[in-house]
Amino acid sequence: MTLSVREFMPDIAHADILEAAALCFMERGYNATSIDDVARRLGATKGRIYHHYPAKADLFAKVCRTGMDMNYAAIEPVRGDSADLLERWTRMATIHTRQMMETRPFQRAVWEGVELALRGSTTSSQREELDELLRYRNGYGDIFREVIAQGRREGVFDFEDLGIANQLMFMALNSPIFWYTKRPGETEADREKIIRQVVTFAMRGLGGKRQTQ
Amino acid sequence: MTLSVREFMPDIAHADILEAAALCFMERGYNATSIDDVARRLGATKGRIYHHYPAKADLFAKVCRTGMDMNYAAIEPVRGDSADLLERWTRMATIHTRQMMETRPFQRAVWEGVELALRGSTTSSQREELDELLRYRNGYGDIFREVIAQGRREGVFDFEDLGIANQLMFMALNSPIFWYTKRPGETEADREKIIRQVVTFAMRGLGGKRQTQ
DNA sequence: TTGACAACATACCGGGTAGTATGTTCATCA
DNA sequence: TGATGAACATACTACCCGGTATGTTGTCAA
């Protein structure tokens, strides 16, 4: 049961702006999105946005950070779970994948933000913000990394290089941000079926010993 | 044995420009890359580029198409392979993954081009070029899709939805374009080890019955 | 040797956009 | 009730970049 964007946001006015920004960034990418685009989607003008955010880069950074905040909040309940390790990983992966689908605009911003940070060819002002996003995201990734590392020690997972395995796992779990779109008559069962396939693919890929069928 | 960019290109002058453009597009993305950036990398000026390409979009499209050309050429030899189906898939996947690593700048352009095409928020002039790239790329994807579909019928693969399985498979096989970087003292054996892990992950993810260890 | 053309370089223009400076409205509170 | 400031809208500027128009150099053929 992940959080909706609005529920998670304390400030409603900001949530409006952030949602519109996230949608624009998802549809056109950071560079191709103008502040006027975001304002137009809000039915407002630049003034409103620049009143709350000093620069476009700050707005983007806020969208990214909000996306990661939601991810952290979503998996927090199962982190200290005392369940079987493979079961814990499955819960985490399921929650994560669902998160990718339900908050897709924010997660695509995170993806692009990480790409921008890794390229590193930006001005020093937004450089720091993007680096912080990268650290924030790596911290999140480490949570999964530790689980699959322990899983390998316990013999429930089987892979060679931990870094590569983690990358491949996240590529699979994150992939819905690229190809998932909510269909008109889509039910909760449909979504669960998609999530199950993604999680199963990743688990098998990691050499998981038990089938999550 | 994949083709190098220069070997594959018939026109040398064009290869210079395309390589420089691919590197720029990889480092900064399409929108953030100016024609002057590409020219500067070439040690030239805009004039040289605009003499050969009518617009920035055409240059980008050519880079993408070149990337796909190389992919098609690389897997062509094993398409009609009479080997065991899982073996054939493994060869194709291995070649594809190696291709992602060796021609990474071009493949990242392809990735961004597909993203741009799917977003569809571009002017009608480059719209047609991007749509053609999309078809070109889908044709390539269908080659793999048919193999894993047949594999499922023969019982060597096991997955639910064919479309989702194909997406997940390509996410894994393509992933090196995001995280792979050639290390200083890297050997051919190192590269093969990486490729093997990627291919193994994808094969297991697809429910492949035999281990490629 | 000269005309013609390819292959560039140089100089310039125009549109789009981030950011700013300046209104304007409305609620709140002394 | 008037002053104050938040929350915007409006109007404007400066800059970057795609594209073009024009100049320059070398080559090659007749």
Side-chain angles (χ1 to χ4, degrees):
Chain A
M1 209 54 46
T2 54
L3 303 165
S4 100
V5 183
R6 196 164 297 277
E7 282 172 19
F8 186 75
M9 299 273 83
D11 192 331
I12 301 297
H14 277 231
D16 281 348
I17 296 177
L18 290 181
E19 270 184 16
L23 286 168
C24 288
F25 289 139
M26 176 176 65
E27 287 174 4
R28 310 190 183 189
Y30 176 71
N31 282 296
T33 298
S34 71
I35 297 290
D36 285 315
D37 288 334
V38 180
R40 201 174 307 128
R41 184 181 285 265
L42 280 168
T45 63
K46 295 166 95 161
R48 181 169 175 193
I49 295 169
Y50 275 104
H51 181 72
H52 295 282
Y53 299 94
K56 182 184 174 183
D58 293 283
L59 173 61
F60 181 71
K62 181 67 176 176
V63 170
C64 293
R65 211 153 56 78
T66 302
M68 284 308 306
D69 282 341
M70 292 189 287
N71 293 348
Y72 271 103
I75 62 160
E76 185 58 34
V78 281
R79 279 193 64 182
D81 205 320
S82 60
D84 172 47
L85 194 128
L86 190 58
E87 174 62 23
R88 201 165 85 225
W89 177 88
T90 303
R91 285 184 194 168
M92 286 169 60
T94 301
I95 289 173
H96 178 82
T97 305
R98 177 182 292 277
Q99 197 72 6
M100 295 300 108
M101 293 163 63
E102 291 186 350
T103 65
R104 193 164 85 104
F106 288 85
Q107 305 306 330
R108 285 207 62 150
V110 170
W111 176 275
E112 192 173 359
V114 170
E115 274 194 314
L116 289 175
L118 290 177
R119 297 203 234 255
S121 57
T122 47
T123 62
S124 60
S125 65
Q126 78 165 328
R127 183 123 186 73
E128 184 144 354
E129 282 170 340
L130 286 178
D131 282 350
E132 192 192 331
L133 168 68
L134 204 57
R135 285 193 298 272
Y136 200 33
R137 202 253 183 175
N138 285 341
Y140 180 82
D142 286 344
I143 298 173
F144 280 81
R145 177 193 279 257
E146 280 185 26
V147 172
I148 66 174
Q150 188 182 345
R152 180 170 60 172
R153 285 195 298 273
E154 294 185 7
V156 297
F157 284 139
D158 172 35
F159 50 81
E160 294 187 39
D161 185 87
L162 176 59
I164 292 179
N166 205 39
Q167 288 281 4
L168 292 167
M169 179 199 73
F170 269 117
M171 286 300 289
L173 298 184
N174 290 338
S175 70
I177 69 177
F178 294 110
W179 48 261
Y180 170 72
T181 50
K182 194 170 181 176
R183 300 281 181 83
E186 187 180 275
T187 66
E188 170 60 23
D190 293 330
R191 256 162 289 160
E192 278 175 6
K193 189 174 176 183
I194 294 173
I195 293 170
R196 183 167 20 99
Q197 290 181 73
V198 172
V199 172
T200 298
F201 184 95
M203 194 212 60
R204 286 175 171 174
L206 290 171
K209 292 291 189 250
R210 209 178 56 193
Q211 302 291 38
T212 310
Q213 194 60 291
Chain B
M1 207 57 42
T2 54
L3 303 165
S4 100
V5 183
R6 196 164 296 276
E7 282 172 20
F8 187 77
M9 298 274 83
D11 192 332
I12 302 295
H14 277 231
D16 281 349
I17 296 176
L18 289 181
E19 271 184 15
L23 286 169
C24 288
F25 289 140
M26 176 175 65
E27 288 175 2
R28 309 190 183 189
Y30 176 70
N31 282 297
T33 298
S34 71
I35 298 291
D36 286 314
D37 288 335
V38 180
R40 200 172 308 129
R41 185 181 285 264
L42 281 168
T45 64
K46 294 166 97 161
R48 182 170 174 193
I49 295 170
Y50 276 104
H51 181 71
H52 295 282
Y53 300 93
K56 181 184 174 184
D58 293 282
L59 174 61
F60 181 70
K62 181 67 175 176
V63 170
C64 293
R65 210 153 58 76
T66 303
M68 284 308 305
D69 283 341
M70 292 189 287
N71 293 348
Y72 271 103
I75 63 159
E76 184 59 35
V78 282
R79 278 194 64 182
D81 204 321
S82 60
D84 171 46
L85 194 127
L86 189 57
E87 175 61 23
R88 201 165 85 227
W89 177 87
T90 303
R91 285 183 194 169
M92 287 170 59
T94 301
I95 288 173
H96 178 83
T97 305
R98 178 183 292 275
Q99 198 71 7
M100 295 301 108
M101 291 163 63
E102 291 186 350
T103 65
R104 193 164 84 105
F106 288 84
Q107 304 307 330
R108 286 208 61 151
V110 170
W111 176 276
E112 192 172 359
V114 170
E115 275 194 313
L116 289 175
L118 291 177
R119 299 203 233 254
S121 57
T122 47
T123 64
S124 59
S125 65
Q126 78 164 328
R127 182 123 186 74
E128 184 143 354
E129 282 171 340
L130 286 178
D131 281 351
E132 193 193 331
L133 169 67
L134 204 56
R135 286 192 298 271
Y136 201 33
R137 205 252 180 175
N138 285 341
Y140 180 81
D142 286 344
I143 298 172
F144 280 81
R145 177 193 279 258
E146 280 184 26
V147 172
I148 66 173
Q150 189 182 345
R152 181 169 60 172
R153 285 194 299 272
E154 293 184 7
V156 297
F157 285 139
D158 172 37
F159 49 81
E160 294 188 38
D161 185 87
L162 177 58
I164 291 178
N166 206 38
Q167 287 282 3
L168 292 168
M169 180 200 72
F170 268 117
M171 286 300 289
L173 298 184
N174 289 338
S175 69
I177 69 177
F178 294 111
W179 48 262
Y180 170 73
T181 50
K182 195 170 182 177
R183 300 282 181 85
E186 188 181 274
T187 68
E188 171 59 24
D190 294 330
R191 254 162 289 160
E192 278 174 6
K193 189 174 177 184
I194 294 174
I195 294 170
R196 182 168 19 99
Q197 290 181 70
V198 172
V199 172
T200 299
F201 184 96
M203 193 212 61
R204 287 175 171 174
L206 290 171
K209 292 292 190 249
R210 211 179 54 194
Q211 302 291 40
T212 311
Q213 195 62 290

